[in-house]
Amino acid sequence: MTDEPRTPDSRPTAARSLPGDPDPRTLVERMIRVDQAGEYGAARIYAGQLAVMGKGPHGATIRHMADQERVHLETFNRMMVDRRVRPTLLSPVWHAAGFALGAVTAAMGPRAAMACTVAVEEEIDRHYRAQSAALGPDEAPLRDTIERFRAEELEHRDTGLAHGAEQATGYKAMKALIGAGSRLAIWLSTRV
């Protein structure tokens, strides 16, 4: 997996689609919808972690990541209004599930909380990378936003690794389970 952004080609978004793909407007609406949902879920995960660990030695680290996620969420909230994109109908689920995931992993300890961060951020990296590749120069501002946020998500992953995520009990299983849940949430939020 590379951390480098892909160099965009010069084809417009519409020229990148294959038969059966959604039209460019629908594609972009789905991207904004799922990205807003993902950033909302991430903000809720960090809120759950802060509720458990906020006053401890890892509180400042988690708060920094939460602050970045809040900016991401506010940005996609504005895009939804500007582009008249409806939110996912699953927001109440992500509200509860995100907080619960953050609180439970934090209750398991700092390494488990960081393992959660690594698992989620690796899925977001793949997701944002694919979105960036699908957007042409006609959607350069959206692509640039996605790439900027992707870089911050990779920073969060690296922070998790630096804080012992891989030493969490059951790291591989936890990462696989949380990663699968993240992929499912992405798939559902794109469509529902």
Side-chain angles (χ1 to χ4, degrees):
M1 169 180 6
T2 178
D3 292 350
E4 296 300 317
R6 296 177 76 163
T7 304
D9 64 34
S10 60
R11 293 178 300 149
T13 303
R16 295 160 186 258
S17 64
L18 299 172
D21 284 349
D23 64 86
R25 180 175 179 215
T26 301
L27 176 72
V28 169
E29 286 176 354
R30 286 179 175 180
M31 286 181 180
I32 292 170
R33 178 180 306 110
V34 71
D35 292 351
Q36 187 274 347
E39 298 299 348
Y40 180 64
R44 295 298 297 156
I45 290 169
Y46 286 122
Q49 290 181 347
L50 285 168
V52 175
M53 298 173 40
K55 294 183 180 171
H58 293 87
T61 300
I62 295 169
R63 205 168 345 286
H64 170 72
M65 293 186 290
D67 289 344
Q68 288 179 315
E69 297 294 354
R70 199 169 301 114
V71 170
H72 300 180
L73 177 58
E74 290 167 0
T75 301
F76 282 115
N77 283 343
R78 279 191 304 275
M79 281 187 201
M80 290 183 83
V81 171
D82 293 346
R83 293 193 184 218
R84 305 181 73 122
V85 175
R86 72 161 177 82
T88 178
L89 300 175
L90 299 171
S91 290
V93 174
W94 305 151
H95 179 84
F99 189 90
L101 179 60
V104 167
T105 56
M108 293 169 63
R111 289 178 176 163
M114 293 299 168
C116 174
T117 294
V118 169
V120 170
E121 301 301 13
E122 285 188 356
E123 293 305 324
I124 297 303
D125 170 45
R126 279 190 273 280
H127 171 72
Y128 275 166
R129 192 174 339 133
Q131 283 187 338
S132 180
L135 295 170
D138 53 321
E139 288 291 347
L142 176 58
R143 186 184 61 230
D144 293 347
T145 297
I146 288 169
E147 283 297 333
R148 188 173 75 248
F149 292 172
R150 179 176 166 251
E152 290 179 358
E153 306 296 3
L154 289 170
E155 175 189 317
H156 299 171
R157 179 208 57 201
D158 294 346
T159 298
L161 292 170
H163 283 84
E166 293 173 308
Q167 285 76 48
T169 302
Y171 173 74
K172 287 184 180 181
M174 186 184 319
K175 186 176 170 209
L177 184 62
I178 293 170
S182 296
R183 287 188 301 277
L184 178 61
I186 289 167
W187 187 86
L188 289 170
S189 292
T190 301
R191 290 155 179 83
V192 180

